[in-house]
Amino acid sequence: MSNNMKYLTGPFSANNPVIVQILGICSALAVTVQLKPAIVMALSVTVVTAFSNLVMSLLRNGVPARIRIIVQLVVIAALVILVDQVLKAYVYEISKQLSVYVGLIITNCIVMGRVEAFALGNKPWASFLDGIGNGLGYGLILVIVAFFRELFGSGSLLGFRIIPESWYMTEGGFYSNCGLMLFPPMALIIVGCIIWVHRSRNKDLQEK
Amino acid sequence: MESLNIFIRSIFIDNMVFAFFFGMCSYIAVSKSVKTALGLGAAVTFVMVMTVPLNYLLYEYILRPGALHAWIPAVPESVDLNFLSFIVFIATIAAFVQLVEMIVEKFSPTLYSQLGIFLPLIAVNCAIMGGSLFMQQKVDAGELDTLWQSIVYGLGSGLGWWLAIVMMAAIREKTTYSHIPAALKGPGIAFIITGLMGIAFMIFSGIQF
């Protein structure tokens, strides 16, 4: 039981896929301009990671090592197509915002990385939990980045206004949004700062 | 002129790394020395130049809504295989990478041992899948409508990625001599440098011929 808990909660901080394993940055950061698409993306990745881990763990003894990459890609691509169709059916607006990034979950290194590193050598239930843990660990970073970018970039959270209208310069106030937050480079700088804070609190992760 | 525009755009303005964060995993992991960065960049550019046009042909003649009807009149016009594009694109890329690996192994064992670890990495490099997905989006938007333009787009995107990883490797080689706070060493500073380079690259936006 304690082992299973470790698989589930380890990726939240000590073994976080984004800031410790440096995986899955590719398709992640561009969806963090606002909080809502970031949450949808995090859930999609969690579902795909969990189920691809489960399926590959069930298949792990039947797949020859030479062709395993292709088999993994087919399993992952099939899951991503399912997720994409569901998103298109139920949250069409957000699916439009996410555009190509849903398709890029296929090549998201977290999914492949966890299948390669964990699911091929472990039992299905443990792999499933590991997938959920890593998906949520990834989502955590996405939500933190999106929180700062939406709050400072457009003054709202999840579309609700946080900074009062009357503060803005156009209304005679003193405040103005930081437009730079909406540009892609800021996402990288915020992740850099998250890594900085995280590693200064966890000294064992620092590089010598 | 249109092709030149696509070329310049894909290298500088829509740079795979600085504008879309594609291929970040190998970008951070392999940018420790200029030499390996050059090797991986060349391999990615080559695979991209080949797979984007291949996927363009598949999309234009098979997957697009109504594409089959255009050359096989027996197929009804309402057939839409668009939902298959993810799996078809990734299959093309994986098969192509496998093919390149086998050819290189057969004809140039020295190059094979040099590239060894990079070759399988390329199949899951998001920059390559991203190139094909953006190609699909551009075809739908009518910005890219010939095979030649898709080749130019693949080449430009590959070169943009190559440029980014080599620049990054050069900067990281220099930073080994700098005093960086212990907690920022490694990936932390790499992210911040990439962010600053991205801000510098924003200067190119709006260039057109």
Side-chain angles (χ1 to χ4, degrees):
Chain A
M1 184 59 208
S2 63
N3 240 2
N4 280 348
M5 273 317 273
K6 209 173 73 204
Y7 296 141
L8 190 61
T9 56
F12 291 171
S13 166
N15 198 19
N16 189 289
V18 179
I19 60 176
V20 179
Q21 305 173 45
I22 317 293
L23 291 176
I25 308 126
C26 327
S27 61
L29 298 181
V31 302
T32 52
V33 176
Q34 284 170 342
L35 207 46
K36 209 190 267 174
I39 292 174
V40 172
M41 184 73 182
L43 289 179
S44 315
V45 170
T46 308
V47 170
V48 174
T49 324
F51 283 96
S52 64
N53 259 4
L54 178 67
V55 173
M56 284 315 294
S57 174
L58 288 170
L59 290 177
R60 69 185 189 280
N61 295 326
V63 179
R66 265 194 88 83
I67 59 155
R68 69 175 195 286
I69 301 257
I70 304 245
V71 175
Q72 285 162 14
L73 284 174
V74 170
V75 169
I76 295 168
L79 285 166
V80 172
I81 289 177
L82 284 179
V83 166
D84 184 44
Q85 299 289 325
V86 169
L87 289 183
K88 273 191 184 138
Y90 291 99
V91 281
Y92 187 71
E93 285 303 311
I94 294 175
S95 134
K96 268 269 164 277
Q97 259 178 317
L98 291 174
S99 70
V100 299
Y101 293 95
V102 180
L104 283 172
I105 299 175
I106 299 174
T107 49
N108 191 319
C109 336
I110 294 179
V111 183
M112 275 300 256
R114 289 328 290 176
V115 169
E116 279 280 303
F118 196 88
L120 289 180
N122 284 282
K123 293 226 164 70
W125 178 237
S127 306
F128 187 69
L129 289 178
D130 180 79
I132 290 185
N134 276 284
L136 291 179
Y138 163 91
L140 187 68
I141 302 299
L142 235 62
V143 167
I144 296 175
V145 176
F147 175 83
F148 286 112
R149 283 182 84 187
E150 192 175 351
L151 184 60
F152 293 114
S154 27
S156 56
L157 282 178
L158 282 169
F160 296 108
R161 183 138 293 286
I162 299 292
I163 308 222
E165 292 280 359
S166 58
W167 285 16
Y168 281 93
M169 293 230 199
T170 46
E171 305 284 323
F174 57 92
Y175 186 82
S176 146
N177 282 330
C178 174
L180 196 59
M181 278 288 175
L182 301 178
F183 287 107
M186 278 318 282
L188 290 166
I189 294 178
I190 295 174
V191 174
C193 294
I194 295 175
I195 294 179
W196 191 0
V197 173
H198 187 251
R199 296 209 171 172
S200 45
R201 294 172 61 94
N202 298 276
K203 296 246 183 300
D204 51 316
L205 291 173
Q206 292 175 6
E207 282 181 22
K208 290 286 140 11
Chain B
M1 246 9 195
E2 193 53 35
S3 309
L4 185 64
N5 257 336
I6 292 177
F7 188 63
I8 300 289
R9 248 197 104 77
S10 54
I11 295 184
F12 294 108
I13 304 165
D14 292 342
N15 186 292
M16 280 289 169
V17 173
F18 299 130
F20 301 114
F21 318 106
F22 286 172
M24 286 297 288
C25 311
S26 32
Y27 171 84
I28 299 282
V30 189
S31 61
K32 280 179 185 138
S33 87
V34 173
K35 211 170 149 234
T36 48
L38 274 171
L40 184 66
V44 166
T45 308
F46 175 67
V47 174
M48 202 110 137
V49 167
M50 304 306 282
T51 55
V52 171
L54 270 176
N55 283 334
Y56 171 78
L57 290 176
L58 284 169
Y59 186 61
E60 183 71 23
Y61 292 106
I62 296 175
L63 298 171
R64 223 152 85 126
L68 278 173
H69 175 75
W71 57 284
I72 310 174
V75 180
E77 203 177 347
S78 57
V79 170
D80 177 3
L81 297 178
N82 213 345
F83 70 96
L84 282 177
S85 49
F86 293 164
I87 209 161
V88 170
F89 288 173
I90 198 69
T92 313
I93 292 167
F96 188 79
V97 170
Q98 192 90 48
L99 197 71
V100 169
E101 201 178 337
M102 273 149 58
I103 292 174
V104 172
E105 190 178 10
K106 179 106 173 81
F107 290 105
S108 173
T110 33
L111 184 65
Y112 181 75
S113 61
Q114 274 171 357
L115 281 177
I117 46 162
F118 301 141
L119 278 173
L121 265 182
I122 291 174
V124 286
N125 187 319
C126 349
I128 290 166
M129 183 68 178
S132 290
L133 289 172
F134 270 123
M135 176 275 299
Q136 180 193 20
Q137 219 178 40
K138 280 177 191 290
V139 171
D140 286 342
E143 290 168 22
L144 203 156
D145 43 19
T146 60
L147 182 61
W148 169 244
Q149 285 180 359
S150 75
I151 297 174
V152 169
Y153 178 70
L155 180 66
S157 307
L159 286 178
W161 198 85
W162 194 353
L163 181 72
I165 193 171
V166 171
M167 277 165 52
M168 183 67 191
I171 294 176
R172 277 182 92 172
E173 278 190 358
K174 291 282 173 205
T175 56
T176 43
Y177 305 110
S178 332
H179 295 287
I180 299 167
L184 258 183
K185 260 186 197 153
I189 196 71
F191 275 105
I192 293 177
I193 292 172
T194 313
L196 294 176
M197 281 160 77
I199 293 177
F201 259 63
M202 275 160 55
I203 209 168
F204 291 113
S205 58
I207 292 182
Q208 226 171 20
F209 290 96

